[in-house]
Amino acid sequence: MRSTVPRSLSDAARARKGCISLRRFSLTAGRHRPVEAEKVHDGEPNHTSIKPKTGDKSAILHSKLGTRPPTIVGSNGNYLIAEGGREILDASGGAAVACIGHNNSRVNNAIMRQLQSVSYIYAPFFTSKASEKLAALLSESTQHQLSKAFIVSSGTEAIEAALKMARQYFLELPNPEPSRTRFIARRQSYHGNTLGSLSLGGHAGRRAPYAPILTTNVSHVSPCYSYRGKLAEETDEDYVARLAQELEDEFQAVGPSTVCAFVAETVSGTTLGCVPPVPGYLQAMKKVCDRHGALFILDEVMSGMGRCGTLHAWEQEGVVPDLQTVAKGLGGGYAPIGALLVNKRVIDALEQGTGGFIHSQTYQGHPVACAAAYEVQKIIKEENLLQNVRTLGEYLGSRLREQLGDHKHVGDIRGRGFFWGIEFVKDKESKEPFPAEQKIAPLIHKTGLSEYSVSFIPGTGVADGKNGDIIQIAPPYNATKADIDLIVERTGLVVKRVLG
């Protein structure tokens, strides 16, 4: 097939396509055919773009009505294979999900074995070996500090379960505290798209259409976002102290005895763009929670399960949450799965109270999803992929800064492990964001996909909930140095194509 890689890629990058992880793949039906999509010249001799099909009559309700996204017909390693044979370098693992790459035979075989024994049980009535093994693995990974796992089908479901668990905990105490009905979260956060989880999240743009029907028992404080939030004269310690005082003030404003929990992403996701906490920040927030008897909940749906270099991102912060949510890297995209991990002290309260969790989901503990996730986690451990994430994560960050750090419209490059964000600004000196109307992040995503066959996660509203653009890069944990070089090279080409 004819390559869709731009001619401006270096000879080294083209040579790397011979590596195992970057090779051109053949579908079982034979060799790939040339891309069967209309190409339109954009005025540049070395670039073409794939014109999207409009007026789409698909029965699927796509995110944009009238436009069908590329149809993916195959996958392997770092690549998605589109209809017609075009190979797309998946630099973001979808939504930071495909943590061991696509189409892993070990996981596929584990799924088939499970399907051939037990495909479904109703978890309130039965259990399975697959769910028991996965739950034990998760508990052991925290040295049993989080002693139980409630396994669901998504990160959003895990957040909903966390909110209910937090409320039930205070009703189950020897001296119940029914007045605890409120939650404190952070602005520009994201915790899911159901009404409960969206109420918890603090992203103004995502909340706006549904504001009249969101719950009113959530208030928001500032995120730990040093690029925009830290004052020029502040040290990290001063900044942390100010954020801790803001949380303390919010407890006082709503009434300390009314708060169930403070909820935060350990490392922020798409609504801020891979922002790690300032040293000491999470410890300071937990101290405020402990002072008032509230629970401390960490959302690691996107940043957890190895994405930041340790299985749990909080391991690097010197804190242990009362409740933790995980999802994306848990199953690596091979099946829909998420989990709520519960601290032993919370479980102890339930055991001494009603003896159960007053909540359930039809597909909780799904055996096939659990079997897939267990195999993904075995691969991560057996292949020492967390060490790879830590080592090459530093390399990824340094290469991104080398490639784009001096670009006049790149304000900040930040991240940890294989979880990196690039924030774009209209003015580097003032940090003024591009207006939302310019849709810079979506344009970078679209350009990368259509002209350079590379996929990123675009994010908007990072500066104030409306304006501000980022892209996220989240390679699979088994990415090689050559993979990282190719991702960075294409990222640089796309950014310079769009922003000059």
Side-chain angles (χ1 to χ4, degrees):
M1 63 169 280
R2 181 190 304 172
S3 172
T4 58
V5 177
R7 297 174 193 158
S8 52
L9 281 179
S10 70
D11 290 339
R14 284 193 291 271
R16 282 193 298 270
K17 288 184 288 177
C19 297
I20 291 176
S21 57
L22 300 175
R23 67 186 184 274
R24 294 294 180 183
F25 299 105
S26 296
L27 298 177
T28 54
R31 296 178 62 84
H32 296 322
R33 298 184 302 276
V35 178
E36 297 174 353
E38 181 180 356
K39 290 187 177 182
V40 291
H41 291 285
D42 57 19
E44 295 288 337
N46 291 334
H47 297 279
T48 57
S49 59
I50 306 302
K51 185 176 180 180
K53 298 177 181 179
T54 57
D56 179 47
K57 302 302 181 183
S58 169
I60 295 178
L61 182 59
H62 294 295
S63 60
K64 292 185 179 179
L65 295 176
T67 301
R68 181 186 295 192
T71 299
I72 301 302
V73 297
S75 62
N76 213 324
N78 301 331
Y79 287 92
L80 299 171
I81 304 168
E83 198 171 40
R86 183 164 66 107
E87 294 175 333
I88 299 167
L89 177 59
D90 189 5
S92 63
V97 173
C99 60
I100 60 168
H102 300 281
N103 207 4
N104 183 284
S105 60
R106 279 186 56 177
V107 183
N108 293 346
N109 290 337
I111 290 171
M112 289 305 300
R113 288 195 300 271
Q114 187 61 49
L115 281 170
Q116 291 164 357
S117 58
V118 178
S119 61
Y120 171 73
I121 57 165
Y122 185 46
F125 295 169
F126 308 101
T127 190
S128 70
K129 290 182 178 179
S131 60
E132 294 288 346
K133 284 167 62 177
L134 181 61
L137 180 151
L138 290 170
S139 178
E140 289 165 6
S141 72
T142 72
Q143 290 75 52
H144 302 289
Q145 295 173 98
L146 306 184
S147 61
K148 301 285 185 182
F150 183 74
I151 301 169
V152 289
S153 300
S154 69
T156 293
E157 289 181 12
I159 286 289
E160 293 283 343
L163 299 179
K164 288 186 175 182
M165 179 65 78
R167 169 63 178 169
Q168 187 179 340
Y169 166 76
F170 287 105
L171 298 178
E172 302 275 333
L173 292 173
N175 296 308
E177 301 179 40
S179 64
R180 293 198 184 256
T181 59
R182 300 189 60 85
F183 294 87
I184 301 174
R186 305 189 301 181
R187 290 187 286 277
Q188 292 141 282
S189 62
Y190 179 69
H191 299 290
N193 257 334
T194 56
L195 291 179
S197 60
L198 192 61
S199 299
L200 187 66
H203 189 272
R206 298 188 186 192
R207 289 169 54 94
Y210 311 105
I213 58 175
L214 298 180
T215 61
T216 58
N217 65 329
V218 180
S219 55
H220 297 90
V221 295
S222 298
C224 185
Y225 183 18
S226 60
Y227 175 66
R228 293 190 177 277
K230 182 180 171 184
L231 302 178
E233 66 275 11
E234 281 185 315
T235 63
D236 283 351
E237 292 77 10
D238 292 338
Y239 183 43
V240 167
R242 178 160 61 86
L243 293 175
Q245 186 59 53
E246 182 182 351
L247 181 60
E248 173 66 30
D249 292 344
E250 187 62 25
F251 266 90
Q252 297 301 328
V254 300
S257 64
T258 71
V259 179
C260 280
F262 169 67
V263 187
E265 297 158 283
T266 309
V267 178
S268 68
T270 310
T271 53
L272 272 186
C274 306
V275 180
V278 170
Y281 166 76
L282 288 176
Q283 291 175 323
M285 299 300 105
K286 188 175 189 304
K287 186 175 180 180
V288 175
C289 293
D290 291 345
R291 184 184 306 140
H292 299 296
L295 296 182
F296 181 64
I297 302 177
L298 291 180
D299 179 346
E300 295 198 0
V301 166
M302 186 171 264
S303 64
M305 300 311 298
R307 177 58 59 189
C308 292
T310 50
L311 202 60
H312 306 290
W314 53 259
E315 294 178 72
Q316 301 173 50
E317 302 301 325
V319 296
V320 179
D322 295 304
L323 300 171
Q324 176 194 354
T325 57
V326 296
K328 300 177 187 297
L330 177 59
Y334 288 87
I337 192 166
L340 169 65
L341 309 185
V342 187
N343 195 293
K344 186 178 184 303
R345 77 182 183 97
V346 176
I347 293 298
D348 288 345
L350 268 61
E351 287 179 340
Q352 295 166 18
T354 59
F357 183 25
I358 310 171
H359 177 60
S360 68
Q361 303 273 176
T362 299
Y363 294 108
Q364 75 187 65
H366 194 282
V368 177
C370 290
Y374 185 78
E375 195 67 25
V376 168
Q377 296 308 310
K378 280 179 62 180
I379 290 169
I380 290 172
K381 182 176 181 180
E382 291 170 9
E383 298 185 8
N384 199 25
L385 296 186
L386 296 183
Q387 182 59 54
N388 192 57
V389 173
R390 289 192 291 271
T391 301
L392 288 185
E394 293 183 9
Y395 179 71
L396 173 57
S398 66
R399 288 284 287 112
L400 287 171
R401 293 186 177 108
E402 175 187 307
Q403 181 76 253
L404 291 168
D406 293 332
H407 193 285
K408 64 180 180 179
H409 293 305
V410 172
D412 193 30
I413 299 172
R414 67 277 183 134
R416 182 183 289 174
F418 275 180
F419 195 45
W420 285 84
I422 304 172
E423 180 168 349
F424 304 100
V425 292
K426 184 176 181 180
D427 182 82
K428 199 178 184 85
E429 184 68 25
S430 67
K431 303 180 183 178
E432 178 188 358
F434 284 101
E437 294 72 23
Q438 290 189 239
K439 299 181 179 179
I440 294 298
L443 179 58
I444 290 173
H445 169 71
K446 180 180 179 182
T447 301
L449 193 59
S450 64
E451 298 186 26
Y452 295 88
S453 290
V454 62
S455 181
F456 312 114
I457 309 172
T460 59
V462 300
D464 56 17
K466 178 183 178 183
N467 304 298
D469 298 89
I470 61 101
I471 59 168
Q472 284 179 300
I473 294 171
Y477 303 169
N478 50 5
T480 66
K481 192 174 182 180
D483 296 335
I484 299 303
D485 286 337
L486 184 58
I487 288 171
V488 171
E489 184 171 18
R490 291 199 192 182
T491 302
L493 288 169
V494 175
V495 171
K496 291 168 187 176
R497 177 77 171 91
V498 174
L499 297 175

